[in-house]
Amino acid sequence: MKWLYGILCLFFLILFHEFGHFLAAKLFGVKVESFSIGFGPVLFHKKFWDTDFRLSLIPLGGYCGMKGEKELQTALDTGTEINAESDSLFGIHPLKRAMVGFAGPFFNYIFAVISFAIIAGIGYSYYTYSNKIILADEKMENACTKAREAGILSGDKIIKVGNTTIESFSDLSEAISIRGGETTDIVVDRNGEMLTFSAEIELDKSTGVGKLGVMAESDSLIQVHTPHYNFFQAVGKGFTESAKMIHMTFKGISLLFKGVEIKNAVSGPARVTEMLGSTVKDGFSMGAKIGFISILDLMALISISLFIMNLLPIPILDGGLILFAIIESIIKKHIPVKIQYYTQFIGLAFIGLLLILGLTGDVNYFVNMIRGK
């Protein structure tokens, strides 16, 4: 059942992306010939406002078919330049075409903002441990702890990591996990005295997660309540959390250049679907409110990833369309058809590589899960 939940969540995110393209195309005068919920054979269709709305067999997103999308291939086949009509994708001003391309990723970003705003507006409580720590090498043999090397001791309360205020062990885990391979200042409260230490955060290259070598004190369980936000504060929180996620995503990408195993860093469609499905199933098992918040949080994170990935200036992605449109607006003419066509192979190769890495990572993930690792 969790796979069905995951497919439905991923389906919605992709469909929301395509709806952004649809609205922008309509706004800038591009005829939308078809808009499909799902892929593959059409099960049902109805024409409204010059658009053929379809329900297709395979529930993995959808597509927005705009007039003129195939003119590039037609021009190449006939050996001519693109001669687009005024209501086609290549017939509108290049900057308008760039906006049509940007609208899809932008809708993913807006979804994330709305999700984080809803979470902030609802509010929730959760259990975690206090910020009082125990050094890992006191509980586990052969544990390497960067905290001890820095001068931090068991019983210290960590109150700041870099510029991030720490109020619980959950805050500490999050702050440390994104700082792998970095050296940062850590402020601790030791019996009322504030001390600052410079600690090198270990980078676990198999997961990309930073480690300090500390554990939570088991008898310090606390309940944390999120602040109550009014409507405007919640919207503001939506924007700040989205910006935070974008920053964290880029930090995650930068870890690939620090030797992190890429097969573990890149998730394929199977793993993403499984994660979404598990989050829905496990979250709702703890109550409707927790389930709703959990799935919104993960879908927002994936939406931010879709936002960033689709804006990469790579042919066949939205970012490639935007890049070519901006170049055309500067040079005041169409980029030669052959250049556009052959650069698409670069994009196909890149996407193919990501797909292979993602599928390889998926296989390793599920094999290790079966083996109990």
Side-chain angles (χ1 to χ4, degrees), residues 10-67:
L10 198 56
F11 159 77
F12 178 80
L13 291 177
I14 298 173
L15 190 63
F16 201 69
H17 173 101
E18 294 299 327
F19 188 60
H21 289 311
F22 173 83
L23 290 181
K26 288 287 189 181
L27 177 65
F28 293 117
V30 177
K31 181 180 179 181
V32 180
E33 296 177 330
S34 60
F35 186 86
S36 177
I37 298 175
F39 287 97
V42 177
L43 302 177
F44 172 81
H45 69 103
K46 186 74 174 179
K47 196 165 188 177
F48 294 103
W49 310 298
D50 293 329
T51 300
D52 188 35
F53 290 90
R54 303 169 180 174
L55 178 65
S56 300
L57 180 64
I58 305 173
L60 292 175
Y63 58 87
C64 176
M66 290 175 276
K67 182 178 179 179

Short mmCIF file of all heavy atoms in Angstrom, two decimals, residues 10-67:
data_model
loop_
_atom_site.label_atom_id
_atom_site.label_comp_id
_atom_site.label_asym_id
_atom_site.label_seq_id
_atom_site.Cartn_x
_atom_site.Cartn_y
_atom_site.Cartn_z
N LEU A 10 4.17 11.53 -5.66
CA LEU A 10 5.08 11.92 -6.73
C LEU A 10 4.30 12.40 -7.95
O LEU A 10 4.68 13.37 -8.61
CB LEU A 10 5.98 10.73 -7.10
CG LEU A 10 7.26 11.05 -7.88
CD1 LEU A 10 8.12 12.05 -7.13
CD2 LEU A 10 8.04 9.77 -8.15
N PHE A 11 3.21 11.71 -8.22
CA PHE A 11 2.32 12.09 -9.33
C PHE A 11 1.82 13.52 -9.16
O PHE A 11 1.84 14.33 -10.09
CB PHE A 11 1.15 11.10 -9.36
CG PHE A 11 -0.08 11.60 -10.07
CD1 PHE A 11 -0.14 11.63 -11.46
CD2 PHE A 11 -1.18 12.02 -9.37
CE1 PHE A 11 -1.27 12.09 -12.11
CE2 PHE A 11 -2.32 12.47 -10.01
CZ PHE A 11 -2.36 12.50 -11.38
N PHE A 12 1.42 13.86 -7.94
CA PHE A 12 0.90 15.20 -7.69
C PHE A 12 1.98 16.27 -7.89
O PHE A 12 1.71 17.32 -8.48
CB PHE A 12 0.33 15.30 -6.27
CG PHE A 12 -0.18 16.67 -5.92
CD1 PHE A 12 -1.43 17.08 -6.36
CD2 PHE A 12 0.59 17.55 -5.18
CE1 PHE A 12 -1.91 18.35 -6.05
CE2 PHE A 12 0.13 18.81 -4.88
CZ PHE A 12 -1.12 19.21 -5.32
N LEU A 13 3.19 16.00 -7.43
CA LEU A 13 4.28 16.98 -7.55
C LEU A 13 4.61 17.27 -9.01
O LEU A 13 4.82 18.42 -9.40
CB LEU A 13 5.52 16.48 -6.82
CG LEU A 13 5.44 16.42 -5.30
CD1 LEU A 13 6.73 15.84 -4.72
CD2 LEU A 13 5.17 17.80 -4.71
N ILE A 14 4.67 16.21 -9.82
CA ILE A 14 4.98 16.40 -11.24
C ILE A 14 3.83 17.10 -11.95
O ILE A 14 4.04 17.98 -12.79
CB ILE A 14 5.29 15.04 -11.89
CG1 ILE A 14 6.52 14.40 -11.25
CG2 ILE A 14 5.52 15.21 -13.40
CD1 ILE A 14 6.80 12.99 -11.71
N LEU A 15 2.60 16.72 -11.59
CA LEU A 15 1.43 17.35 -12.22
C LEU A 15 1.37 18.83 -11.87
O LEU A 15 1.04 19.67 -12.72
CB LEU A 15 0.16 16.64 -11.75
CG LEU A 15 -1.13 17.01 -12.49
CD1 LEU A 15 -1.05 16.62 -13.96
CD2 LEU A 15 -2.33 16.34 -11.83
N PHE A 16 1.70 19.18 -10.64
CA PHE A 16 1.71 20.58 -10.21
C PHE A 16 2.74 21.36 -11.02
O PHE A 16 2.51 22.52 -11.39
CB PHE A 16 2.03 20.65 -8.71
CG PHE A 16 1.60 21.93 -8.05
CD1 PHE A 16 0.25 22.22 -7.87
CD2 PHE A 16 2.52 22.85 -7.59
CE1 PHE A 16 -0.16 23.39 -7.26
CE2 PHE A 16 2.14 24.02 -6.99
CZ PHE A 16 0.78 24.30 -6.82
N HIS A 17 3.87 20.73 -11.28
CA HIS A 17 4.93 21.33 -12.11
C HIS A 17 4.38 21.63 -13.52
O HIS A 17 4.56 22.74 -14.04
CB HIS A 17 6.10 20.35 -12.18
CG HIS A 17 7.19 20.75 -13.13
ND1 HIS A 17 8.37 21.33 -12.72
CD2 HIS A 17 7.28 20.65 -14.49
CE1 HIS A 17 9.13 21.56 -13.77
NE2 HIS A 17 8.50 21.15 -14.85
N GLU A 18 3.74 20.66 -14.11
CA GLU A 18 3.20 20.83 -15.46
C GLU A 18 2.09 21.87 -15.50
O GLU A 18 1.92 22.57 -16.49
CB GLU A 18 2.68 19.49 -16.00
CG GLU A 18 3.76 18.44 -16.22
CD GLU A 18 4.80 18.88 -17.23
OE1 GLU A 18 4.45 19.61 -18.18
OE2 GLU A 18 5.98 18.50 -17.07
N PHE A 19 1.33 21.99 -14.40
CA PHE A 19 0.26 22.98 -14.35
C PHE A 19 0.85 24.39 -14.38
O PHE A 19 0.24 25.32 -14.93
CB PHE A 19 -0.56 22.79 -13.07
CG PHE A 19 -1.80 23.64 -13.03
CD1 PHE A 19 -2.79 23.52 -14.00
CD2 PHE A 19 -1.99 24.56 -12.01
CE1 PHE A 19 -3.93 24.31 -13.96
CE2 PHE A 19 -3.12 25.35 -11.96
CZ PHE A 19 -4.10 25.23 -12.94
N GLY A 20 2.06 24.55 -13.82
CA GLY A 20 2.75 25.84 -13.91
C GLY A 20 3.04 26.20 -15.36
O GLY A 20 2.83 27.35 -15.78
N HIS A 21 3.55 25.24 -16.13
CA HIS A 21 3.80 25.47 -17.56
C HIS A 21 2.49 25.83 -18.27
O HIS A 21 2.46 26.71 -19.13
CB HIS A 21 4.39 24.22 -18.21
CG HIS A 21 5.80 23.93 -17.82
ND1 HIS A 21 6.79 24.89 -17.85
CD2 HIS A 21 6.40 22.79 -17.40
CE1 HIS A 21 7.94 24.36 -17.46
NE2 HIS A 21 7.73 23.09 -17.18
N PHE A 22 1.42 25.13 -17.91
CA PHE A 22 0.11 25.34 -18.55
C PHE A 22 -0.37 26.77 -18.36
O PHE A 22 -0.75 27.45 -19.33
CB PHE A 22 -0.91 24.35 -17.96
CG PHE A 22 -2.32 24.57 -18.42
CD1 PHE A 22 -2.77 24.06 -19.63
CD2 PHE A 22 -3.22 25.29 -17.63
CE1 PHE A 22 -4.08 24.26 -20.04
CE2 PHE A 22 -4.51 25.50 -18.04
CZ PHE A 22 -4.95 24.99 -19.25
N LEU A 23 -0.35 27.25 -17.12
CA LEU A 23 -0.83 28.60 -16.84
C LEU A 23 0.03 29.66 -17.52
O LEU A 23 -0.49 30.64 -18.07
CB LEU A 23 -0.86 28.85 -15.33
CG LEU A 23 -1.93 28.09 -14.53
CD1 LEU A 23 -1.83 28.45 -13.06
CD2 LEU A 23 -3.33 28.38 -15.05
N ALA A 24 1.35 29.48 -17.49
CA ALA A 24 2.24 30.45 -18.12
C ALA A 24 2.06 30.47 -19.63
O ALA A 24 2.08 31.54 -20.25
CB ALA A 24 3.70 30.12 -17.77
N ALA A 25 1.88 29.30 -20.24
CA ALA A 25 1.66 29.22 -21.68
C ALA A 25 0.39 29.98 -22.06
O ALA A 25 0.37 30.75 -23.03
CB ALA A 25 1.57 27.76 -22.13
N LYS A 26 -0.66 29.77 -21.29
CA LYS A 26 -1.92 30.48 -21.55
C LYS A 26 -1.74 31.99 -21.38
O LYS A 26 -2.25 32.79 -22.18
CB LYS A 26 -3.01 29.97 -20.59
CG LYS A 26 -3.51 28.57 -20.87
CD LYS A 26 -4.39 28.55 -22.11
CE LYS A 26 -5.08 27.22 -22.30
NZ LYS A 26 -5.93 27.20 -23.52
N LEU A 27 -0.99 32.37 -20.34
CA LEU A 27 -0.78 33.79 -20.05
C LEU A 27 -0.03 34.49 -21.17
O LEU A 27 -0.36 35.64 -21.53
CB LEU A 27 -0.01 33.94 -18.73
CG LEU A 27 0.37 35.35 -18.30
CD1 LEU A 27 -0.88 36.18 -18.01
CD2 LEU A 27 1.26 35.32 -17.06
N PHE A 28 0.96 33.81 -21.77
CA PHE A 28 1.80 34.44 -22.79
C PHE A 28 1.39 34.09 -24.22
O PHE A 28 2.14 34.32 -25.16
CB PHE A 28 3.26 34.05 -22.55
CG PHE A 28 3.83 34.63 -21.29
CD1 PHE A 28 4.26 33.80 -20.26
CD2 PHE A 28 3.92 36.00 -21.11
CE1 PHE A 28 4.78 34.33 -19.09
CE2 PHE A 28 4.43 36.54 -19.93
CZ PHE A 28 4.87 35.70 -18.92
N GLY A 29 0.19 33.55 -24.37
CA GLY A 29 -0.36 33.37 -25.71
C GLY A 29 0.07 32.14 -26.46
O GLY A 29 -0.08 32.08 -27.68
N VAL A 30 0.62 31.14 -25.77
CA VAL A 30 0.99 29.89 -26.42
C VAL A 30 -0.20 28.93 -26.36
O VAL A 30 -0.76 28.71 -25.28
CB VAL A 30 2.21 29.24 -25.75
CG1 VAL A 30 2.53 27.90 -26.40
CG2 VAL A 30 3.41 30.17 -25.82
N LYS A 31 -0.57 28.36 -27.47
CA LYS A 31 -1.68 27.43 -27.50
C LYS A 31 -1.26 26.11 -26.86
O LYS A 31 -0.27 25.51 -27.24
CB LYS A 31 -2.13 27.18 -28.93
CG LYS A 31 -3.33 26.23 -29.04
CD LYS A 31 -3.74 26.02 -30.48
CE LYS A 31 -4.93 25.05 -30.58
NZ LYS A 31 -5.32 24.81 -31.98
N VAL A 32 -2.03 25.70 -25.85
CA VAL A 32 -1.77 24.41 -25.20
C VAL A 32 -2.67 23.38 -25.88
O VAL A 32 -3.88 23.38 -25.71
CB VAL A 32 -2.06 24.47 -23.69
CG1 VAL A 32 -1.79 23.10 -23.05
CG2 VAL A 32 -1.20 25.54 -23.03
N GLU A 33 -2.07 22.52 -26.67
CA GLU A 33 -2.84 21.56 -27.45
C GLU A 33 -3.36 20.41 -26.60
O GLU A 33 -4.43 19.87 -26.87
CB GLU A 33 -1.97 21.02 -28.59
CG GLU A 33 -1.57 22.11 -29.58
CD GLU A 33 -0.64 21.60 -30.67
OE1 GLU A 33 0.13 20.65 -30.40
OE2 GLU A 33 -0.69 22.17 -31.78
N SER A 34 -2.62 20.03 -25.57
CA SER A 34 -3.06 18.93 -24.71
C SER A 34 -2.50 19.10 -23.30
O SER A 34 -1.42 19.65 -23.10
CB SER A 34 -2.60 17.58 -25.28
OG SER A 34 -1.19 17.53 -25.38
N PHE A 35 -3.28 18.64 -22.35
CA PHE A 35 -2.83 18.60 -20.96
C PHE A 35 -3.30 17.28 -20.38
O PHE A 35 -4.50 17.02 -20.30
CB PHE A 35 -3.39 19.76 -20.14
CG PHE A 35 -2.82 19.82 -18.74
CD1 PHE A 35 -1.63 20.48 -18.50
CD2 PHE A 35 -3.46 19.20 -17.68
CE1 PHE A 35 -1.08 20.54 -17.22
CE2 PHE A 35 -2.93 19.25 -16.40
CZ PHE A 35 -1.73 19.92 -16.18
N SER A 36 -2.33 16.43 -19.99
CA SER A 36 -2.68 15.08 -19.57
C SER A 36 -2.34 14.83 -18.12
O SER A 36 -1.27 15.20 -17.64
CB SER A 36 -1.94 14.06 -20.45
OG SER A 36 -2.22 12.73 -20.01
N ILE A 37 -3.27 14.19 -17.43
CA ILE A 37 -3.00 13.64 -16.11
C ILE A 37 -2.57 12.20 -16.34
O ILE A 37 -3.36 11.35 -16.74
CB ILE A 37 -4.26 13.69 -15.22
CG1 ILE A 37 -4.71 15.13 -15.02
CG2 ILE A 37 -4.01 13.00 -13.89
CD1 ILE A 37 -6.00 15.27 -14.25
N GLY A 38 -1.29 11.93 -16.14
CA GLY A 38 -0.74 10.62 -16.42
C GLY A 38 -0.13 10.54 -17.82
O GLY A 38 -0.26 11.47 -18.62
N PHE A 39 0.55 9.43 -18.09
CA PHE A 39 1.20 9.19 -19.38
C PHE A 39 0.57 7.97 -20.06
O PHE A 39 -0.24 7.26 -19.48
CB PHE A 39 2.70 8.93 -19.19
CG PHE A 39 3.49 10.15 -18.82
CD1 PHE A 39 3.81 10.41 -17.50
CD2 PHE A 39 3.93 11.03 -19.79
CE1 PHE A 39 4.54 11.52 -17.14
CE2 PHE A 39 4.67 12.16 -19.45
CZ PHE A 39 4.97 12.40 -18.13
N GLY A 40 1.03 7.73 -21.29
CA GLY A 40 0.64 6.52 -21.99
C GLY A 40 -0.71 6.62 -22.68
O GLY A 40 -1.18 7.73 -22.99
N PRO A 41 -1.35 5.47 -22.91
CA PRO A 41 -2.65 5.46 -23.61
C PRO A 41 -3.68 6.33 -22.92
O PRO A 41 -3.81 6.33 -21.70
CB PRO A 41 -3.05 3.98 -23.56
CG PRO A 41 -1.76 3.24 -23.40
CD PRO A 41 -0.89 4.13 -22.57
N VAL A 42 -4.42 7.08 -23.73
CA VAL A 42 -5.44 7.99 -23.21
C VAL A 42 -6.70 7.20 -22.87
O VAL A 42 -7.25 6.48 -23.71
CB VAL A 42 -5.76 9.10 -24.22
CG1 VAL A 42 -6.87 10.00 -23.69
CG2 VAL A 42 -4.51 9.92 -24.52
N LEU A 43 -7.14 7.31 -21.63
CA LEU A 43 -8.36 6.61 -21.20
C LEU A 43 -9.60 7.45 -21.43
O LEU A 43 -10.67 6.93 -21.75
CB LEU A 43 -8.25 6.27 -19.70
CG LEU A 43 -7.05 5.41 -19.27
CD1 LEU A 43 -7.05 5.22 -17.76
CD2 LEU A 43 -7.10 4.05 -19.97
N PHE A 44 -9.46 8.76 -21.26
CA PHE A 44 -10.60 9.68 -21.41
C PHE A 44 -10.07 11.05 -21.78
O PHE A 44 -9.00 11.45 -21.32
CB PHE A 44 -11.39 9.75 -20.09
CG PHE A 44 -12.46 10.79 -20.08
CD1 PHE A 44 -13.70 10.55 -20.67
CD2 PHE A 44 -12.24 12.03 -19.48
CE1 PHE A 44 -14.68 11.53 -20.68
CE2 PHE A 44 -13.22 13.01 -19.48
CZ PHE A 44 -14.45 12.74 -20.08
N HIS A 45 -10.77 11.76 -22.64
CA HIS A 45 -10.35 13.12 -22.97
C HIS A 45 -11.56 13.98 -23.31
O HIS A 45 -12.59 13.49 -23.77
CB HIS A 45 -9.33 13.11 -24.11
CG HIS A 45 -9.91 12.71 -25.44
ND1 HIS A 45 -10.21 13.61 -26.43
CD2 HIS A 45 -10.23 11.49 -25.93
CE1 HIS A 45 -10.69 12.97 -27.48
NE2 HIS A 45 -10.72 11.68 -27.21
N LYS A 46 -11.41 15.26 -23.08
CA LYS A 46 -12.46 16.23 -23.35
C LYS A 46 -11.81 17.55 -23.70
O LYS A 46 -10.87 17.98 -23.03
CB LYS A 46 -13.36 16.40 -22.12
CG LYS A 46 -14.58 17.28 -22.36
CD LYS A 46 -15.65 16.57 -23.18
CE LYS A 46 -16.92 17.41 -23.28
NZ LYS A 46 -17.96 16.75 -24.09
N LYS A 47 -12.30 18.23 -24.73
CA LYS A 47 -11.69 19.48 -25.17
C LYS A 47 -12.41 20.68 -24.57
O LYS A 47 -13.61 20.82 -24.66
CB LYS A 47 -11.71 19.57 -26.69
CG LYS A 47 -10.78 20.63 -27.26
CD LYS A 47 -10.55 20.43 -28.74
CE LYS A 47 -9.48 21.37 -29.27
NZ LYS A 47 -9.18 21.13 -30.70
N PHE A 48 -11.61 21.55 -23.92
CA PHE A 48 -12.08 22.81 -23.36
C PHE A 48 -11.09 23.90 -23.74
O PHE A 48 -9.88 23.69 -23.64
CB PHE A 48 -12.20 22.76 -21.83
CG PHE A 48 -13.24 21.80 -21.31
CD1 PHE A 48 -12.86 20.58 -20.77
CD2 PHE A 48 -14.58 22.12 -21.34
CE1 PHE A 48 -13.80 19.69 -20.27
CE2 PHE A 48 -15.54 21.25 -20.85
CZ PHE A 48 -15.14 20.03 -20.31
N TRP A 49 -11.58 25.06 -24.13
CA TRP A 49 -10.74 26.23 -24.39
C TRP A 49 -9.55 25.89 -25.30
O TRP A 49 -8.40 26.26 -25.03
CB TRP A 49 -10.23 26.84 -23.08
CG TRP A 49 -11.30 27.08 -22.08
CD1 TRP A 49 -12.37 27.91 -22.21
CD2 TRP A 49 -11.41 26.48 -20.78
NE1 TRP A 49 -13.14 27.86 -21.09
CE2 TRP A 49 -12.58 27.01 -20.19
CE3 TRP A 49 -10.65 25.56 -20.06
CZ2 TRP A 49 -13.00 26.62 -18.92
CZ3 TRP A 49 -11.07 25.20 -18.79
CH2 TRP A 49 -12.23 25.72 -18.24
N ASP A 50 -9.80 25.16 -26.36
CA ASP A 50 -8.79 24.77 -27.35
C ASP A 50 -7.72 23.81 -26.81
O ASP A 50 -6.69 23.59 -27.45
CB ASP A 50 -8.08 26.01 -27.94
CG ASP A 50 -9.01 26.86 -28.78
OD1 ASP A 50 -9.93 26.27 -29.39
OD2 ASP A 50 -8.83 28.08 -28.82
N THR A 51 -7.94 23.25 -25.65
CA THR A 51 -7.00 22.29 -25.07
C THR A 51 -7.68 20.95 -24.87
O THR A 51 -8.79 20.88 -24.34
CB THR A 51 -6.46 22.79 -23.72
OG1 THR A 51 -5.79 24.04 -23.90
CG2 THR A 51 -5.48 21.78 -23.12
N ASP A 52 -7.01 19.89 -25.28
CA ASP A 52 -7.52 18.54 -25.10
C ASP A 52 -7.05 18.02 -23.74
O ASP A 52 -5.88 17.68 -23.57
CB ASP A 52 -7.01 17.62 -26.23
CG ASP A 52 -7.66 16.26 -26.19
OD1 ASP A 52 -8.84 16.18 -25.84
OD2 ASP A 52 -6.97 15.26 -26.52
N PHE A 53 -7.96 18.01 -22.76
CA PHE A 53 -7.63 17.52 -21.43
C PHE A 53 -7.79 16.00 -21.40
O PHE A 53 -8.82 15.47 -21.82
CB PHE A 53 -8.52 18.18 -20.37
CG PHE A 53 -8.22 19.63 -20.16
CD1 PHE A 53 -8.89 20.61 -20.91
CD2 PHE A 53 -7.28 20.03 -19.24
CE1 PHE A 53 -8.60 21.96 -20.73
CE2 PHE A 53 -6.99 21.38 -19.05
CZ PHE A 53 -7.65 22.34 -19.80
N ARG A 54 -6.75 15.33 -20.89
CA ARG A 54 -6.71 13.87 -20.97
C ARG A 54 -6.46 13.22 -19.61
O ARG A 54 -5.78 13.78 -18.76
CB ARG A 54 -5.59 13.42 -21.93
CG ARG A 54 -5.71 14.01 -23.33
CD ARG A 54 -4.45 13.76 -24.14
NE ARG A 54 -4.55 14.31 -25.49
CZ ARG A 54 -3.55 14.33 -26.36
NH1 ARG A 54 -2.36 13.82 -26.03
NH2 ARG A 54 -3.73 14.84 -27.56
N LEU A 55 -7.02 12.03 -19.48
CA LEU A 55 -6.70 11.15 -18.36
C LEU A 55 -6.04 9.93 -18.97
O LEU A 55 -6.66 9.20 -19.76
CB LEU A 55 -7.95 10.75 -17.59
CG LEU A 55 -7.73 9.78 -16.42
CD1 LEU A 55 -6.88 10.43 -15.34
CD2 LEU A 55 -9.07 9.31 -15.84
N SER A 56 -4.74 9.73 -18.65
CA SER A 56 -3.98 8.65 -19.28
C SER A 56 -3.70 7.52 -18.30
O SER A 56 -3.88 7.66 -17.09
CB SER A 56 -2.67 9.20 -19.85
OG SER A 56 -2.95 10.19 -20.83
N LEU A 57 -3.24 6.41 -18.85
CA LEU A 57 -3.16 5.15 -18.10
C LEU A 57 -2.13 5.13 -16.99
O LEU A 57 -2.39 4.65 -15.89
CB LEU A 57 -2.87 4.00 -19.09
CG LEU A 57 -2.76 2.60 -18.49
CD1 LEU A 57 -4.09 2.18 -17.87
CD2 LEU A 57 -2.33 1.59 -19.56
N ILE A 58 -0.93 5.66 -17.25
CA ILE A 58 0.18 5.51 -16.30
C ILE A 58 0.23 6.72 -15.36
O ILE A 58 0.53 7.84 -15.80
CB ILE A 58 1.52 5.37 -17.05
CG1 ILE A 58 1.44 4.21 -18.05
CG2 ILE A 58 2.66 5.14 -16.06
CD1 ILE A 58 2.65 4.10 -18.96
N PRO A 59 -0.08 6.53 -14.07
CA PRO A 59 -0.20 7.66 -13.13
C PRO A 59 1.14 8.14 -12.60
O PRO A 59 1.39 8.17 -11.40
CB PRO A 59 -1.05 7.06 -12.02
CG PRO A 59 -0.64 5.63 -11.98
CD PRO A 59 -0.36 5.24 -13.41
N LEU A 60 2.04 8.56 -13.48
CA LEU A 60 3.34 9.07 -13.06
C LEU A 60 3.52 10.50 -13.56
O LEU A 60 4.33 10.79 -14.42
CB LEU A 60 4.47 8.16 -13.59
CG LEU A 60 4.53 6.76 -12.98
CD1 LEU A 60 5.60 5.94 -13.67
CD2 LEU A 60 4.79 6.83 -11.48
N GLY A 61 2.73 11.40 -13.02
CA GLY A 61 2.82 12.79 -13.41
C GLY A 61 1.85 13.13 -14.53
O GLY A 61 0.68 12.79 -14.50
N GLY A 62 2.38 13.80 -15.55
CA GLY A 62 1.55 14.22 -16.67
C GLY A 62 2.39 15.05 -17.62
O GLY A 62 3.61 15.12 -17.49
N TYR A 63 1.73 15.69 -18.57
CA TYR A 63 2.47 16.52 -19.50
C TYR A 63 1.58 17.64 -20.03
O TYR A 63 0.35 17.54 -20.02
CB TYR A 63 3.03 15.71 -20.68
CG TYR A 63 1.99 14.96 -21.49
CD1 TYR A 63 1.33 15.57 -22.56
CD2 TYR A 63 1.69 13.63 -21.21
CE1 TYR A 63 0.39 14.89 -23.31
CE2 TYR A 63 0.76 12.94 -21.96
CZ TYR A 63 0.11 13.57 -23.01
OH TYR A 63 -0.83 12.88 -23.75
N CYS A 64 2.26 18.70 -20.46
CA CYS A 64 1.59 19.87 -21.04
C CYS A 64 2.11 20.00 -22.47
O CYS A 64 3.27 20.38 -22.68
CB CYS A 64 1.90 21.11 -20.21
SG CYS A 64 1.23 22.64 -20.86
N GLY A 65 1.29 19.64 -23.44
CA GLY A 65 1.70 19.67 -24.84
C GLY A 65 1.42 21.02 -25.47
O GLY A 65 0.26 21.36 -25.77
N MET A 66 2.47 21.81 -25.71
CA MET A 66 2.30 23.16 -26.26
C MET A 66 2.55 23.17 -27.76
O MET A 66 3.39 22.41 -28.27
CB MET A 66 3.27 24.12 -25.55
CG MET A 66 2.92 24.40 -24.11
SD MET A 66 4.15 25.42 -23.25
CE MET A 66 5.33 24.15 -22.75
N LYS A 67 1.85 24.02 -28.43
CA LYS A 67 2.00 24.14 -29.88
C LYS A 67 3.44 24.59 -30.21
O LYS A 67 3.97 25.50 -29.60
CB LYS A 67 1.01 25.17 -30.43
CG LYS A 67 1.06 25.33 -31.95
CD LYS A 67 0.01 26.32 -32.43
CE LYS A 67 0.07 26.49 -33.95
NZ LYS A 67 -0.96 27.45 -34.44
#
